[in-house]
Structure formats: C-alpha cells, structure tokens
C-alpha cells in the first residue's frame, strides 16, 4: 500500500484533503492525523474490521483498549452512561484538551475491540483544528491510539508517523509538530476518588482544583495495572536507556567510563555535554523526537539526565518507562 502524506496548512483550502480522510475512514480505512498531544491512528470506532487494521498496523496487543475521539462534550455524552458530576466538570474545564476520561460505555455502540471487551471507554475531545475538523465532518467517533509502532516513542511529527507506518496505511494528514508532545492524561472516573492512570499535560493539581481529591495510579509500584496498556514496554529506543542524576561531574565521569569500554554514548539533557558522542534536548515537547533521533545514531547506550524532584511528572513517567526504570551506576 502506498502511504500518502498531505500537508494540511491553515492558510490554504483543505476541503479536498479532509474529504479524502473522511472517505477513507467512512470506507473502513485508517488515517493518521495530528492532535495537540501526539499523532493518532484513526478508524471508525463503530466498525470492528476498521479498528482491527489499527491493531495490525501498530502491532498492538489486542487487550490494550483505544481512546475514542469526539468533536464535543455533547457528542461524548451520547456514548456513555452513569456519568458522574465530576466527569462533567472535567469536560467543561479541560475539553477540548489533553484529558481522556474513562467512563461507562453505553452497551453495543463501540466495536468491542475498541474497548478490549471492557464495559468502560476512554474518550477525549482533542484540541487541534485538524482533528476537530475531521471529527466534525465525519460525524462519527474515531478510535485512535498514538500512530507509532507498538513499543516505540509516540509520533510528534508527520515524519515520525511515516517512518513507522509507511506501506501500512493509506493517508497521513500532516499538521506540523504537535504542541504538547506527550499523550493525554488518562483519568478513571469510574471510581471514587478518580484515579490518574497515565499522567499528562493536565496535572493532578489542575484536576484537584476542579474536582477535589484525585489519586495517582499505583502502577509504578508493581500492582496490577488498571490501564491495560501500562504493562507493556513503552517508548523504548533501540539502545538501552539509563536515567542518571543531572550532575555534571557525575555525567562526565559516566561518559569517560563508557568511552573506556569503547562504546558510543548519546545524552538527553537540558545542557550540552561536549564529551558525549551525541546530545539531544530533554523537554516534554522534544522527548519523543530525541528518542527517535537516538535511533538514527550508532550510540550503544543512552543517558537521560534528570532531577526527579524537579521534573514534570508526565515527562518523568515516560522517561522511567523508556528506561524500564534503570538507573546508571
Ligand atoms: O494523547 C493521546 O491520548 C493520544 C492521542 C492520539 O489522542 N492517544 C493515545 O492513545 O495515547 P494510546 O492508545 O496510545 O493510549 C491509550 C491509553 C492506554 O494506556 C490504554 O490502556 C488506556 O489509555 N485506556 C484506554 N481505554 C481504557 C479503558 N477503558 N480503561 C482503562 N484504560 C484505558
Ligand atoms: Mg500509545
């Protein structure tokens, strides 16, 4: 299959591009599109065969449910039931935006592979003009995980999507770099207090200002993960990634030590380490691009320089996963 990328620029008339995307999805196909967080790989959430193509293109385990994207709160409410007051408050405060709410799905609306057979569904309204336009024209809910090969860093550029999906999907809508750079916060509204299953741009503090106490999932402590996707390897670059305290002396010593073993090293950091073979920026909106850039090098090992106490919680969560919780020592 030939994969076509179409630039969807705000300054030109994009009717034809949207029409192609709409036709593809209505016809049971899969289309990659930008959201404010990362690029998504979208299919009609009511068509099981179409949704199967997402799992196939990504190589995603089928017990990991997908997020459903809709154009508004009103549309979302057509698909869920027993909606708690706090969920409505979150929709008003954070939608459109980087917050996915897990709620009870109305039975027999979504294809069962969207929810991996669960009675619940994750829904969000993305805050991106291209995503919103597409959803409005489609008039259908779109199941869309991140548009990367399963296990790899999520795509924040259309080029990332093309790299992973070339030959596997017909169409990529290119809306430029995504603004946020990491996936949405996932908040489980089916329990009290609500639980953050995946940290993201919308923080615990921001949520608590609107709905009171929110708990952080204990998934990092080895408990059974509640977001099924959390148990799988994530964001992993090819070379092993280690976390290291951001302390120049420590890092320079580590670089020397690794060079002593005749190995090449890539460093992810907020400052340049000239001794490293490669150095890429460490920031929420650059993280996945930096991880993918490491894959373009011959580095044998990657060090990510962090100060856990000061890091953004969502950034730290993704880094710990990418490193499989390994610290350099
Ligand atoms: O920012 C985002 O959320 C992006 C863009 C494309 O919208 N999407 C995304 O989807 O990150 P994905 O499939 O890569 O991640 C979905 C996460 C997984 O961890 C999954 O296990 C969890 O949401 N999830 C989905 N439905 C769920 C449900 N019913 N109950 C618990 N967790 C659920
Ligand atoms: Mg993903």
């Amino acid at each position: 299959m030939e994969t076509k990328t179409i630039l969807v620029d705000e300054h030109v008339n994009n009717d034809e591009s949207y029409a192609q995307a709409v036709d593809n999805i209505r016809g049971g196909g899969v289309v990659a599109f930008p959201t404010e967080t990362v690029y998504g790989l979208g299919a009609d959430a009511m068509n099981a065969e179409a949704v199967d193509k997402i799992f196939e293109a990504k190589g995603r385990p089928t017990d990991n449910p997908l997020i459903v994207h809709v154009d508004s709160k009103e549309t979302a409410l057509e698909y869920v039931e027993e909606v708690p007051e706090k969920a409505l408050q979150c929709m008003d405060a954070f939608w459109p935006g980087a917050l996915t709410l897990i709620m009870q799905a109305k039975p027999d609306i979504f294809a069962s592979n969207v929810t991996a057979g669960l009675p619940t569904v994750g829904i969000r309204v993305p805050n991106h003009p291209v995503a919103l336009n597409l959803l409005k024209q489609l008039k259908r809910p779109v199941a869309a995980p991140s548009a990367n090969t399963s296990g790899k860093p999520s795509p924040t550029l259309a080029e990332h999507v093309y790299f992973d999906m070339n030959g596997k999907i017909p169409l990529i809508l290119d809306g430029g770099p995504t603004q946020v750079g990491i996936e949405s916060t996932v908040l489980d509204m089916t329990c009290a207090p609500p639980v953050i299953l995946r940290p993201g741009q919308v923080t615990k503090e921001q949520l608590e200002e609107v709905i009171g106490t929110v708990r952080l999932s204990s998934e990092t402590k080895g408990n059974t993960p509640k977001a099924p996707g959390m148990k799988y390897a994530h964001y992993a670059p090819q070379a092993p990634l280690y976390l290291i305290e951001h302390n120049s002396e420590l890092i320079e010593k580590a670089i020397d030590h690794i060079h002593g073993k005749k190995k090449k090293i890539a460093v992810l950091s907020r400052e340049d380490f000239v001794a490293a073979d490669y150095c890429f920026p460490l920031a929420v909106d650059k993280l996945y691009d930096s991880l993918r850039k490491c894959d373009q090098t011959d580095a044998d090992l990657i060090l990510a320089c962090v100060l856990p106490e000061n890091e953004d919680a969502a950034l730290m969560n993704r880094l710990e996963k990418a490193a499989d919780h390994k610290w350099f020592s």
Side-chain angles (χ1 to χ4, degrees), residues 26 70-72 131-140:
R26 287 218 179 118
V70 295
D71 64 357
S72 66
L132 285 173
N133 248 320
L134 181 63
L135 290 165
K136 287 206 166 87
Q137 296 195 24
L138 256 174
K139 299 188 176 61
R140 245 175 252 191

Side-chain angles (χ1 to χ4, degrees), residues 249-267:
E249 211 181 312
L250 200 68
I251 295 163
E252 273 152 23
K253 249 172 87 179
I255 295 173
D256 271 357
H257 177 79
I258 294 159
H259 279 160
K261 295 187 168 177
K262 303 264 173 290
K263 290 193 166 164
K264 289 208 173 159
I265 179 166
V267 167

Side-chain angles (χ1 to χ4, degrees), residues 247-324:
N247 164 326
S248 305
E249 211 181 312
L250 200 68
I251 295 163
E252 273 152 23
K253 249 172 87 179
I255 295 173
D256 271 357
H257 177 79
I258 294 159
H259 279 160
K261 295 187 168 177
K262 303 264 173 290
K263 290 193 166 164
K264 289 208 173 159
I265 179 166
V267 167
L268 305 187
S269 168
R270 289 191 175 76
E271 66 180 91
D272 249 5
F273 285 93
V274 286
D277 300 277
Y278 308 97
C279 205
F280 300 112
L282 184 71
V284 176
D285 61 334
K286 298 275 172 7
L287 175 67
Y288 293 148
D289 189 50
S290 287
L291 289 173
R292 283 175 178 265
K293 282 189 170 133
C294 288
D295 282 350
Q296 307 296 316
T297 72
D298 58 352
D300 301 294
L301 189 147
I302 306 164
L303 289 181
C305 311
V306 292
L307 288 171
E309 299 305 307
N310 304 339
E311 298 298 343
D312 178 286
L315 174 68
M316 206 50 217
N317 168 272
R318 304 307 192 274
L319 275 171
E320 281 175 341
K321 289 213 161 97
D324 198 15

Side-chain angles (χ1 to χ4, degrees), residues 168-189:
K168 297 180 176 166
I169 62 170
L171 185 60
I172 301 169
L173 296 183
D174 180 354
T178 63
Q179 224 189 353
V180 178
I182 55 168
E183 308 83 347
S184 61
T185 305
V186 177
L187 183 65
D188 187 353
M189 300 305 308

Side-chain angles (χ1 to χ4, degrees), residues 38 58 60 64 145-148 152 154 183 198 234-235:
V38 300
K58 280 181 66 82
R60 180 176 174 113
N64 191 4
S146 48
N148 52 287
K152 288 283 150 199
S154 296
E183 308 83 347
R198 179 175 73 185
H234 268 89
Y235 323 118

Side-chain angles (χ1 to χ4, degrees), residues 36-70:
E36 80 279 35
T37 57
V38 300
Y39 276 77
L41 199 57
D44 180 350
M46 296 171 166
N47 179 341
E49 264 177 56
V51 171
D52 264 341
K53 293 180 190 165
I54 296 178
F55 285 94
E56 208 173 299
K58 280 181 66 82
R60 180 176 174 113
T62 52
D63 64 347
N64 191 4
L66 309 178
I67 292 173
V68 173
H69 297 68
V70 295

